Amino acid sequence: MKFAVVAFPGSSCDDYLYVLKEVLKQEAASISHRDTSLQDAQCVILPGGSSYGDYLRPGALASLSPIMDKVREFAKEGGLVLGIGNGFQILLETGLLPGAMLPNSSLRFVCRQQTLKVENANTPFTGCYAQGQIIQMPIAHGQGNYYLDPASLKKLQENNQIVFRYTDEAGNATEEANPNGSVDNIAGIINQGGNVLGMMPHPERSCEAALGSTGGLGLFQSAIEFLAERVKA
Amino acid sequence: MLTPQEIKEKQAWRSMGLKDQEYERICEFLGRLPNYTELGMYSVLWSEHCSYKHSRHLFKLFPTKGERVLIGPGENAGAIDIGDGLAIVMKVESHNHPSAIEPYQGAATGVGGILRDIFTMGARPIASLNSLRFGDPRDENVRRLVRGAVAGIGDYGNATGVPTVGGEISFADCYRGNCLVNAMSVGLVRHELLTRATASGVGNPVMVVGSTTGRDGIHGATFASAEFSEEDEGELPIVQAGDPFTETLLIEACLELIESGVVVGIQDMGAAGLTSSSAEMASKAGSGIEMDLTVVPQRDEGMSSYEIMLSESQERMLVVPKAGAEDQVKAIFEKWGLHAVVVGRVTDDGMLRVFHHGEVAAEVPAKSLSTDGAPSYVPEAKRPEYLDELWSFDFNQLEDLKQEEIQDAFWKLLASPNIVSRRWIWEQFDQHAQLRTLVGPGSDAAVLRLPGTKRGIAITVDCNGRYCYQNPRVGAAQAVAEAARNIYASGGKPIAITDGLNLGNPEKPEIYWQLKETVQGIAEACEALGTPVTGGNVSLYNETDGEAIYPTPIIGMLGLLEDAEKHATIGFKNKGDLILLVGENKDELSGSEFLTVQHGLVAGPGPELDLELEKRNGEFCRSLIEKGLVSSCHDISDGGLAIALAECAMAGKLGARVKLYCPERRDSLLFGESQARYVVSLPEENYDALRGLAEKQGVSISLLGRVEGEEFTVELGEEKVISTRVSEMLDLWSSGLERLLGEE
């Protein structure tokens, strides 16, 4: 199996399976949070939604699921892990990515089409984008205000770990273009090993023009191409 | 608890909202005096909220049959055939009273309740909408209510993964003490999985599933059937608390259970919880139910039978599976971490018999609790006198706008509470979950694709309360017509409605008259437009200190698109496209937003309505969209032609140059709200084809101008009366609501 989508109670797995199977014609299946094996998955997706109703803190309870031990091991071995929305929050709670998520600075949920800039096109998830490309994707979250202490942020910047920023249409990371108050307009980051990506915007909602944008298509295509190359090598 | 004798002596039924003759009726049904638990059960189920005792005799006026109606009124929600073996299940429900007290939980549990009505039918909820009414948004308490209700709807809906794809909100002083929070939900199901709320099959088990039962929300339905007074603002415990996570699990567990084929009947425990669900299921099947409350999973200690029977704890269901399937039901619910407990059996004696700690706590004929037994009143009706005053208003005394006043009037209207963008609200709703939303909030109707079929659906919820105040019958018909216009303008064919009737105290003759007229108006419009009523909700007693709200019949309408891709949105698409008016201006100002904003007036009988014309013009627009002749389509409603044009421009971020000829009043031409009108834009090469169709179908069209780049200008004769840029309009309009609410 190529893509495994982890099903936590309250996750919206079906959206991811639909995009992977029906739109991208990929082999994909869901794995229960209770499972203790990732089977032969080549890329693990922690999906969006509201696992455990976002109780305690978004992602906090899901990060303690049995399957997460396996996801940690898988990531350590260099396996591709993609956390989207709530999945990003789970990655932060698991410690696979640095930082923490605060409530949006407006203190309101926000759902809209958002402009993003691809800040690092040299990752397994962004190879199909051009460096600096401006793309559109929907966001939908109440707690997407990414926070990191200044020293760690500096490290993140220096290591080129910021993958997506919220920007205006000209690519400027302005305060007005920041929908949730995230530090440095951060929308998505990757780990130092370059195999674990977390992002708040929803690429799975952005793979068909009929739904309003196609900015997310490149993300899945990049991962598919990366995996194909990896198999060849 | 009082003994039956003490109840009689102290007339305890009165404090539960029952009338003396209703107590007598209970005694007759039982052949003895009711005990306290029984009295509580009757008081809730015989409330207006549960029994529709002042309104249900009117519902026979509604057209409820049609070739697409699979399940009409009387179940948890209506079901409509949309072809390919699929059905849409839909319903509107009000949560007005709880929201006025605690807007966040009131609105959130409203969403939870309507979602349960949908998946109880076996359908997966695929979309929600809402219809909201508040007082002046500049009022501090109103702001608190708006903030709370919007966040409550958002948080509950967002957490359950059901997108909120549309809705409407309007503001008027009459809603200051009685806000309206109506939620609508839409589900998708294969025909063979449609499930009903019935307790048939003697010996079949009765199971309580989902959440535990606590002391929250006791007597909610009775409370929802009374007027407010100043003292009520401390009544917090009546409002339930929602748990959207449990709801998510309950959705999955119930759908899995229904799919497994062992369900005989299933019913949501909404108002009056265990009492209503058991009584309704037994009464529908003509059976009885015996239950032991001792085994009902409880979250509070020492609950009495009265409390358990009347609790409105959320996220619970009553299930009657086939005998022998108990363990299968338990296994499914345990998988989702939910309770499923056998609390009783279906019997054949027609009695609802409730045991608690080994004793009979209540024993009443099930049918006597349901609408079969509840009293039905036909109150006195009297046409309210205020209508004479409104209708006699002489519009000639109103000075027309001068040329040079038009631009200011336009700005004032564009920034007014009922016209500014609703973006601040809908951005708090997840609109895209489940990947079906082709058109979300901000256009005329929401359009959803349905993977697995080429077809799509359009959904909308509408009502203009002021029109209904000015003429309840025509206003209610207009609500149906407006919903239909929104469906047509999006490319759909209207096929069914669900309604939410929000009015004042029906025991007052003037209000009952409004109610009767409202039902007749809806019935007439549905008949004319071919949209049967598939179910609905009634919320009466929306009064504070004796002042009633406008009659506000919310119409939720379903439209069908044979090809989901062939839909339209309101925004202009291409510079150079022609702009056309479909329909005619009737030189009327009555009922318009302009009249209220500019002159502070509500006057006249409201705009005229011609249902034949509605159908003709609407079908015409729909056919233009289906044939791919138009680039955009928008119905003209609040704010009239000028505002509709501005909305098309702002949505498409393209300007317009429009030239109008003014035979009569300038204000009515620009801002009047004549019905059955649309603004369409189209490439010039399609104009001849369109004109040919219009002639053939007898539809009046007139050329208004062209889509431009940034400039937005309206000329009257040779004079520019509105001249601005799209960006300037957007600056004022798009963040107008947060400005009014003090949320900037």
Side-chain angles (χ1 to χ4, degrees), chain B residues 242-255:
Chain B
D243 175 359
F245 177 55
T246 299
E247 180 97 339
T248 311
L249 303 176
L250 195 59
I251 293 175
E252 297 305 331
C254 288
L255 293 180

Side-chain angles (χ1 to χ4, degrees), chain A residues 9-10 14-15 18-19 34 50-53 55 108-113 138-140 204-205 208 210-211, chain B residues 158-159 243-245 248-249 334-335 423-424 427-438 449 451 743:
Chain A
D14 290 350
D15 295 3
Y18 166 79
V19 166
R34 288 201 185 102
S50 297
S51 60
Y52 295 96
Y55 295 157
R108 289 190 300 271
F109 189 94
V110 59
C111 174
R112 63 167 79 134
Q113 277 295 341
I139 54 168
E204 84 284 2
R205 297 180 178 187
E208 294 169 275
L211 297 182
Chain B
N158 299 343
D243 175 359
F245 177 55
T248 311
L249 303 176
E334 270 163 25
K335 188 175 118 191
R423 186 187 50 80
W424 181 84
E427 278 194 353
Q428 298 184 54
F429 304 147
D430 188 337
Q431 308 143 30
H432 309 120
Q434 301 190 16
L435 307 181
R436 293 190 186 88
T437 315
L438 298 179
R449 64 179 185 180
E743 286 283 321

